Amino acid sequence: MLITSILSAIGNNNSIYPLIVRDCGIEVPAKIILTYNQNKKESKEVAKLAARERFLDEYSVSAVWLGGIPLVGKIIDYFIRKKGFNPDINLKLFKNNSIQNIDENIKNFKGKVPDYIIDELIKVKNNKAFYEKLLAGKFIASTAIPILFMGVILPKLIFASSAKKIEKLKAKEAKNKDSFSLSKESIKNSIDFINDKKISFKGNWISVAANFSTVDKMFVTDGGYAAGRIATARNKDEAIDVGFKMTGMMFLNFIAPKYIEKFLNSVFNVDLDPLMLGDKSFIEAVKNNELKLPETGSEKVILNFIDNNPDSIFVKFAQKFNKIKLLESGVRDPRYYVDTQGLAKFSNDIKKFVKNAKLDKSIQNYAAKSKIIKSVNILTNITLSSALLAYGLPKAQFAFRRLVTGSDLEPGLAPAKKVL
């Protein structure tokens, strides 16, 4: 069951777990080795510096990327609570075209949930503008701070450290006419620290950004991180090189795995999570025609089903997979917005499984085969996306670098080009 739980976690491309596996476990170690091997073709000394920079850079970024964003969010949540607001209240509840809007939830859940929950909703309703500003501040802080560190401060610290080592190498190889060097301008830029910058946003973005998941914030952060790295590059070639790498990383981390998952699911006709496919109560309910599901995918039908069937298998797994949130009493938490479209798809996936399972001689065997197929799909996705990140992208970057610079060396560490 532990293995199934792990596969379920790393198979969820909307969570940070597959990112942790790809980033820390596979991608970074492979990139360090490839970086060293690529640079040593021309200079072992540059190769050592390049591998060192890659090691410091990648693992520092991973620590901030995977831990810093949630940490900053929790710190801001603490201050929002100090202001008397619950930061978990979803701004989508102010959508007037939804039956989940805040007025309806206050009216429908009064007496069904503890009074403090209704009081929290009322306070947000009466102070919407101020609450929006608090959540906007949370979004900016939890993305801008990591962007500032990963995209500006960290590279400058690493560049400054490398510049010192390069100066030592220059002194050591002073008698060698072919020794490489960095220009004074490059070294100066490497040790300059950041200037204060103003961040501004326009448009009605708060209600969308405030409800970003950690993974969504990682995507935004990566965009800012890429911009920062390009801006702090030591020369034009390095800026181009970094831009190519960061574009590829963002695509392979956040977009490609979802398309790979969709393709594998369609080819092998398995959509459900391994945890669900291995659940005995679910299989028994399918065998005995006791499985209750929403009749349609409309918002009203989905919400009524959840509220009237809190002990159903559908609701049980919807909560397990963080699609809904129930209070300990089993009542739906009115502070959270339910993605009924996502639940409608979940219901359809279950119906498709039930239909196919009943065509098989043994529902239990069909479920077991489906679980194996889904598990293999997850491992295939992780393996393929990791291989593209850890090997495919660096190799493409090196080829692109040779095309642009005519050298295998890291552009920021390579000898300055002679001006004829």
Side-chain angles (χ1 to χ4, degrees), residues 271-272 276 282 286 291 293 313-314 317 345-355:
D271 295 290
L272 298 182
M276 195 168 188
F282 170 62
V286 174
L291 189 65
L293 294 170
I313 290 174
F314 176 80
F317 278 101
K345 182 186 181 305
F346 182 48
S347 177
N348 288 334
D349 289 343
I350 295 173
K351 289 175 182 176
K352 185 173 77 172
F353 170 82
V354 172
K355 180 181 178 181

Side-chain angles (χ1 to χ4, degrees), residues 230-262:
I230 292 171
T232 56
R234 287 167 285 195
N235 53 56
K236 182 180 177 181
D237 286 343
E238 186 174 48
I240 296 171
D241 194 61
V242 169
F244 181 89
K245 179 185 76 171
M246 292 302 300
T247 301
M249 283 178 60
M250 289 182 69
F251 176 78
L252 293 175
N253 260 322
F254 298 101
I255 300 173
K258 293 185 178 181
Y259 279 102
I260 294 172
E261 178 186 25
K262 188 176 181 180

Side-chain angles (χ1 to χ4, degrees), residues 350-369:
I350 295 173
K351 289 175 182 176
K352 185 173 77 172
F353 170 82
V354 172
K355 180 181 178 181
N356 293 334
K358 289 186 175 180
L359 294 175
D360 200 90
K361 293 180 181 179
S362 170
I363 291 175
Q364 194 163 353
N365 287 342
Y366 180 79
K369 287 187 293 184

Side-chain angles (χ1 to χ4, degrees), residues 54-300:
R54 182 56 60 92
F55 175 85
L56 293 173
D57 187 16
E58 295 288 351
Y59 277 114
S60 297
V61 165
S62 294
V64 176
W65 193 51
L66 296 168
I69 295 173
L71 177 62
V72 173
K74 287 181 179 179
I75 293 171
I76 302 300
D77 281 349
Y78 171 80
F79 288 105
I80 292 176
R81 287 191 173 90
K82 282 288 186 180
K83 293 288 185 181
F85 295 92
N86 185 335
D88 293 329
I89 295 177
N90 198 310
L91 284 176
K92 289 182 181 178
L93 295 176
F94 286 96
K95 292 170 64 175
N96 292 325
N97 62 341
S98 169
I99 60 174
Q100 299 180 69
N101 72 72
I102 197 162
D103 290 317
E104 289 295 316
N105 276 7
I106 290 171
K107 181 176 70 176
N108 295 333
F109 285 89
K110 194 169 186 178
K112 296 180 182 178
V113 299
D115 290 341
Y116 75 88
I117 291 178
I118 300 299
D119 292 340
E120 288 177 351
L121 288 168
I122 292 173
K123 183 161 186 178
V124 165
K125 177 192 169 185
N126 294 336
N127 298 274
K128 180 189 174 187
F130 182 61
Y131 183 65
E132 282 183 334
K133 289 180 181 179
L134 290 174
L135 291 191
K138 175 183 175 180
F139 172 76
I140 292 172
S142 59
T143 53
I145 292 174
I147 286 172
L148 196 61
F149 182 80
M150 295 190 301
V152 182
I153 297 175
L154 180 62
K156 285 188 176 291
L157 290 173
I158 293 174
F159 294 165
S161 176
S162 292
K164 290 179 181 179
K165 291 186 175 295
I166 288 170
E167 285 299 309
K168 290 180 181 179
L169 285 174
K170 286 171 65 180
K172 182 180 178 181
E173 300 176 1
K175 295 180 181 180
N176 187 344
K177 293 181 181 180
D178 295 324
S179 67
F180 67 91
S181 65
L182 291 179
S183 66
K184 291 182 180 179
E185 182 69 20
S186 176
I187 296 173
K188 180 179 182 299
N189 288 338
S190 294
I191 58 176
D192 285 339
F193 282 88
I194 61 170
N195 296 317
D196 291 333
K197 295 183 182 291
K198 295 182 180 179
I199 300 174
S200 61
F201 294 87
K202 295 181 180 180
N204 186 21
W205 59 276
I206 299 175
S207 62
V208 176
N211 295 302
F212 273 11
S213 66
T214 297
V215 175
D216 293 331
K217 290 175 183 175
M218 285 178 172
F219 183 81
V220 173
T221 301
D222 256 19
Y225 163 40
R229 286 303 173 92
I230 292 171
T232 56
R234 287 167 285 195
N235 53 56
K236 182 180 177 181
D237 286 343
E238 186 174 48
I240 296 171
D241 194 61
V242 169
F244 181 89
K245 179 185 76 171
M246 292 302 300
T247 301
M249 283 178 60
M250 289 182 69
F251 176 78
L252 293 175
N253 260 322
F254 298 101
I255 300 173
K258 293 185 178 181
Y259 279 102
I260 294 172
E261 178 186 25
K262 188 176 181 180
F263 172 75
L264 292 173
N265 287 349
S266 64
V267 170
F268 296 101
N269 202 27
V270 179
D271 295 290
L272 298 182
D273 189 280
L275 277 177
M276 195 168 188
L277 292 168
D279 187 79
K280 292 181 180 179
S281 60
F282 170 62
I283 304 305
E284 286 299 314
V286 174
K287 285 172 62 177
N288 300 324
N289 295 314
E290 296 174 350
L291 189 65
K292 292 182 179 180
L293 294 170
E295 292 183 3
T296 71
S298 74
E299 183 180 34
K300 184 175 181 180

